[in-house]
Amino acid sequence: MIPYQDFTHYLSIPIATRSSRPQLHASFARFERETAAIIPEGSVLNPDFARINLGRLNLRSKNRIDALSKHLHGLDMHEMLRVAAVNAIDGPPKFSNLPYRGDAPCAFGVATKVDISPLKVDISGIFSPNDSPSRTRVLRASAIDRTHRLQHFQYILLDSLFKADFLANAFHTAIGVVNTALPTGWGHKCTFDRKTRKWSYPGRPKSHAADAVDLINGWKNYDWATNIQLENLGVYVLGSREKLPGGGAREKHMTEVDRIALP
């Protein structure tokens, strides 16, 4: 298994499509406006780069990137989606078989029929994935596939990458909304201490921890965007950021290394 810290790229499904972008922009703008007293400037993510991060990849050379591209383009996405539809009837996949960051994800339900239509998701609610809601630095919204195929499709895809030694760790199917480390991380390089096995930003001010209990309760049933068809699977490196007037930073560019059309 690849050590957790050894990753260079993200495997993601972008959700900011031509049809979904107006919904996402309106929802993110409303959220930023109504939570300005709680969430620091620059902490709300750019909706143009909203994506379902499926996992982190270890691609430290051009040969590794080329090998991953060959692997991904060699997969039969139509067959994977068909198998995912069949497996969704039997219950959730065996999440414990993959190196998830944090707890393995929960299953949203069980399918009652085999559905081979294009994958679609609703973006709903908000939650704190790691911290206590009373002192949280990260907030996410759930990506929910009402046919229950997405988690199975993700599992089949990531299992193939894990066995091929590309996958560093897997993610839950969620959309990033808030990350208070973005403003405080401006201009500070992240380093990994192999002895303590922890990340740190030498000289960086401590990230703001917000009391988001009331915020989460108020937005837990909010629909950010609905009926989003998932069009592409992409491999990305971290993009550049723009500095905001108040001293924060927001992602302004995302570099796509490869793209694979989804059925």
Side-chain angles (χ1 to χ4, degrees):
M1 176 175 164
I2 298 170
Y4 164 72
Q5 74 275 14
D6 291 334
F7 71 93
T8 57
H9 295 69
Y10 287 95
L11 182 70
S12 309
I13 299 176
I15 63 165
T17 63
R18 178 178 296 180
S19 59
S20 70
R21 191 170 278 111
Q23 294 185 72
L24 291 170
H25 272 263
S27 292
F28 273 67
R30 177 189 169 189
F31 178 83
E32 190 166 22
R33 184 173 61 252
E34 296 185 9
T35 62
I38 302 172
I39 303 301
E41 182 189 13
S43 299
V44 178
L45 304 184
N46 189 334
D48 284 335
F49 305 127
R51 56 194 182 266
I52 303 172
N53 284 327
L54 303 180
R56 289 188 174 113
L57 305 170
N58 178 30
L59 310 172
R60 295 193 176 275
S61 68
K62 185 179 183 304
N63 287 340
R64 290 279 292 173
I65 294 173
D66 292 343
L68 173 75
S69 292
K70 182 178 179 180
H71 181 94
L72 289 174
H73 285 278
L75 296 174
D76 187 336
M77 296 291 171
H78 289 273
E79 176 63 11
M80 289 166 58
L81 183 58
R82 186 196 68 80
V83 172
V86 172
N87 291 348
I89 294 178
D90 297 327
K94 297 179 181 179
F95 297 115
S96 59
N97 290 355
L98 291 175
Y100 276 92
R101 182 186 181 189
D103 296 332
C106 62
F108 290 116
V110 178
T112 57
K113 65 177 182 179
V114 176
D115 187 333
I116 57 173
S117 62
L119 285 170
K120 295 182 179 181
V121 295
D122 297 333
I123 309 303
S124 181
I126 199 164
F127 66 96
S128 175
N130 299 311
D131 301 325
S132 166
S134 63
R135 287 188 57 79
T136 190
R137 296 172 175 82
V138 175
L139 292 173
R140 293 182 182 147
S142 296
I144 302 175
D145 168 22
R146 306 295 177 181
T147 67
H148 312 296
R149 296 172 296 157
L150 178 57
Q151 288 179 321
H152 286 275
F153 180 81
Q154 177 192 21
Y155 177 83
I156 295 168
L157 173 63
L158 296 185
D159 186 55
S160 73
L161 296 178
F162 184 49
K163 290 175 179 176
D165 205 30
F166 291 117
L167 184 68
N169 70 283
F171 282 119
H172 302 226
T173 50
I175 306 300
V177 177
V178 170
N179 186 344
T180 65
L182 286 180
T184 57
W186 177 263
H188 297 275
K189 185 179 180 181
C190 181
T191 61
F192 183 81
D193 189 320
R194 294 184 177 275
K195 291 183 179 180
T196 63
R197 301 188 65 78
K198 293 182 178 180
W199 291 98
S200 66
Y201 291 81
R204 186 192 76 174
K206 189 175 181 180
S207 302
H208 175 80
D211 183 349
V213 173
D214 292 340
L215 184 156
I216 291 173
N217 287 333
W219 290 76
K220 63 183 179 182
N221 297 317
Y222 183 71
D223 291 327
W224 300 79
T226 59
N227 204 35
I228 302 174
Q229 181 171 329
L230 304 183
E231 299 177 353
N232 298 291
L233 174 71
V235 179
Y236 302 92
V237 295
L238 289 177
S240 59
R241 297 174 182 171
E242 60 180 337
K243 195 169 184 178
L244 300 176
R250 176 169 292 166
E251 189 174 19
K252 69 174 182 178
H253 183 261
M254 186 171 63
T255 303
E256 184 179 81
V257 175
D258 201 357
R259 176 186 297 188
I260 300 92
L262 293 176

